[in-house]
Amino acid sequence: MTAFAAKTVGLIADALPVERPLVGYIRSEHRGVGDIVLSTVAERLIAQGVRVHGAIQVNRDRHDGRRCDMDIRILPEGSEIRVSQSLGLGARGCRLDSGALEMAVARVGASFGPAADLLIVNKFGKQEACGAGFRMLIGEAITLGVPVLTCVNALNQEAFDQFSAGLQMRLDACATTLNDWYMSLRQPP
């Protein structure tokens, strides 16, 4: 995190009258579990009339021996953008298509605003830790007082903690727990 970004988030945290953490996050050691949990929560809340915006990762198995394809489903509309690129059999480099990810960020950002009830971001990953990806949109949600749900892995935990500046709460990777956390934010403190 750059010094400017760290200072900006710190100023946001200091300026917000937050009584409860606005950013709920989960950690899962098993690949894909966070995606499934966040997707389940999104579907439940949308069915209840909650104005959920954001992005859910959808992994699609391949039958040619290559790693899964990664798509981002845009909430609430449901369209998908492929964010992985095929590097060939046995390739070990990063498969993320950062241009496609930024397109997904722009699509979510175009519909997101103060009328949103919740922002769900598939993860605070390497791109967000470096200042790109959904990072600015998460910051916008925080400044608007819109709760955020995301997933963080161990590699990006320190950057996430610095970014969220005490406005975060770790939750169990359970759809019911995340649903209950969100609903508790709708109740008066």
Side-chain angles (χ1 to χ4, degrees), residues 129-151:
C130 293
F134 285 98
R135 184 186 183 107
M136 295 301 287
L137 196 55
I138 294 169
E140 181 181 346
I142 292 169
T143 61
L144 293 172
V146 175
V148 178
L149 279 174
T150 193
C151 188

Side-chain angles (χ1 to χ4, degrees), residues 21-26 34 37-42 45 50 52-56 75 117-124 134 138 141-142 146-152 160 167 169-183 185:
L22 280 176
V23 183
Y25 75 97
I26 60 174
V37 171
L38 290 174
S39 180
T40 300
V41 170
L45 292 174
V50 175
V52 177
H53 291 260
I56 299 293
L75 301 174
D117 293 324
L118 176 66
L119 176 68
I120 295 180
V121 175
N122 63 306
K123 66 181 163 188
F124 186 95
F134 285 98
I138 294 169
I142 292 169
V146 175
V148 178
L149 279 174
T150 193
C151 188
V152 180
F160 174 74
L167 300 176
M169 172 182 268
R170 185 172 176 176
L171 303 166
D172 291 334
C174 165
T176 301
T177 299
L178 299 184
N179 191 79
D180 291 349
W181 173 81
Y182 170 73
M183 289 303 181
L185 295 176

Side-chain angles (χ1 to χ4, degrees), residues 45-120:
L45 292 174
I46 289 169
Q48 295 173 30
V50 175
R51 295 170 297 200
V52 177
H53 291 260
I56 299 293
Q57 184 169 318
V58 179
N59 298 318
R60 294 200 162 76
D61 290 332
R62 296 176 55 115
H63 301 290
D64 59 3
R66 296 181 184 173
R67 294 172 66 192
C68 69
D69 288 324
M70 298 179 299
D71 297 328
I72 294 288
R73 187 176 71 213
I74 308 299
L75 301 174
E77 67 177 76
S79 66
E80 294 185 2
I81 298 172
R82 171 88 13 111
V83 295
S84 62
Q85 51 190 336
S86 179
L87 301 178
L89 208 56
R92 303 191 56 80
C94 179
R95 300 178 310 127
L96 178 68
D97 179 341
S98 58
L101 176 63
E102 292 305 323
M103 185 183 338
V105 171
R107 293 269 298 278
V108 173
S111 69
F112 180 78
D117 293 324
L118 176 66
L119 176 68
I120 295 180

